[in-house]
Amino acid sequence: MLLRSNCKIGSVQIRVCPTAGSNIWKGGVKEVIRDRLLSEQFYICCYTGLRLSLNNNHIEHLIPQSDSLARNMPLETVEYKNMVVCDNSEEFGARYKADWPSSTEVHLFVKPVDPTCTTRFVYKKNGKVEAMDTDAAATTTIEKLNLNHPKLSKLRLDAINNLFLFPPKKDVDYRKFVRNSIGRFSTPVDGKYHEFSFVLTQILTKKLNSLK
């Protein structure tokens, strides 16, 4: 999972009123928020790791609007810190999770604004993702976001396999090669991360740690 650590635009926290119906995003507010989120996330979906574009994205409310309205807290759901931008697929990720979690299940949701989120998931060489140890919240988050959907798992597997498609020459220091690869996938190019960057850097870091 990608950590989105910045929760403010400049020094001003954005609030808009969801009770305004279609006027929520009036005056280009939606586009401003979307563009800033895309920039902060380096055009990567927090949940899936897929590359985002201006034509393929979905502004996700971490606390569902339905839950905030049910608790008579309409402004909560549209605070900037409650938003991330995600892939638009109906099969997994933000749209799949829909109105989950409710206020009674929020403790089972690992949010991409949680500083620990990057350490609570383990990406496997077979393309699957698992919870770290016995992390119940991570397990539930994987299930509710359908992060092991066959299509998504296959895309992760292809990206992982491509890591080792062109091994270094025999005279190249393999540890240095892996370190350089970690640097490449953890550094944005033209403001964008490589697709599945957080998956690939975790796999490569494990590989580096296993080398003597």
Side-chain angles (χ1 to χ4, degrees):
M1 183 174 285
L2 178 73
L3 170 64
R4 185 180 81 78
S5 58
N6 188 8
C7 292
K8 294 186 178 181
I9 293 183
S11 60
V12 180
Q13 193 168 33
I14 287 186
R15 294 174 183 263
V16 290
C17 182
T19 58
S22 61
N23 291 325
I24 298 174
W25 308 116
K26 189 176 180 180
V29 173
K30 180 178 181 178
E31 288 72 24
V32 170
I33 293 176
R34 178 204 63 196
D35 292 350
R36 183 56 188 260
L37 289 171
L38 284 169
S39 178
E40 286 180 6
Q41 296 174 208
F42 300 101
Y43 285 78
I44 291 294
C45 174
C46 286
Y47 296 146
T48 65
L50 292 169
R51 172 68 70 81
L52 301 175
S53 70
L54 291 176
N55 298 319
N56 175 32
N57 64 79
H58 166 69
I59 293 179
E60 156 80 340
H61 302 270
L62 300 175
I63 300 174
Q65 295 187 51
S66 58
D67 184 71
S68 294
L69 291 173
R71 292 182 287 109
N72 198 29
M73 298 181 67
L75 291 180
E76 173 186 66
T77 189
V78 287
E79 289 183 334
Y80 188 65
K81 66 182 180 181
N82 190 53
M83 299 182 194
V84 292
V85 65
C86 297
D87 182 75
N88 215 19
S89 174
E90 300 279 354
E91 298 175 296
F92 42 76
R95 289 196 179 278
Y96 184 88
K97 95 174 182 60
D99 288 338
W100 185 82
S102 66
S103 56
T104 60
E105 292 183 301
V106 70
H107 64 288
L108 293 173
F109 179 31
V110 180
K111 298 179 182 179
V113 293
D114 178 349
T116 69
C117 71
T118 59
T119 63
R120 299 175 70 176
F121 300 91
V122 179
Y123 296 96
K124 313 296 285 188
K125 286 187 177 180
N126 63 3
K128 300 289 187 180
V129 56
E130 299 176 358
M132 177 67 76
D133 300 324
T134 57
D135 190 327
T139 298
T140 304
T141 298
I142 292 168
E143 176 187 342
K144 294 295 185 179
L145 273 65
N146 204 19
L147 295 181
N148 279 320
H149 184 282
K151 181 189 294 185
L152 183 58
S153 296
K154 177 62 164 56
L155 290 171
R156 277 196 301 258
L157 177 60
D158 289 345
I160 292 167
N161 286 340
N162 284 338
L163 285 177
F164 306 104
L165 191 59
F166 301 103
K169 296 178 180 179
K170 291 183 179 180
D171 58 343
V172 173
D173 183 335
Y174 193 58
R175 284 180 60 85
K176 183 177 180 180
F177 171 78
V178 175
R179 281 196 301 269
N180 289 343
S181 297
I182 292 171
R184 179 160 60 92
F185 288 115
S186 60
T187 304
V189 177
D190 295 328
K192 298 178 181 180
Y193 275 142
H194 192 285
E195 192 164 61
F196 297 118
S197 57
F198 56 83
V199 176
L200 300 180
T201 53
Q202 187 187 98
I203 294 286
L204 286 166
T205 299
K206 288 180 186 176
K207 182 66 175 179
L208 181 63
N209 293 337
S210 72
L211 297 174
K212 297 182 179 180

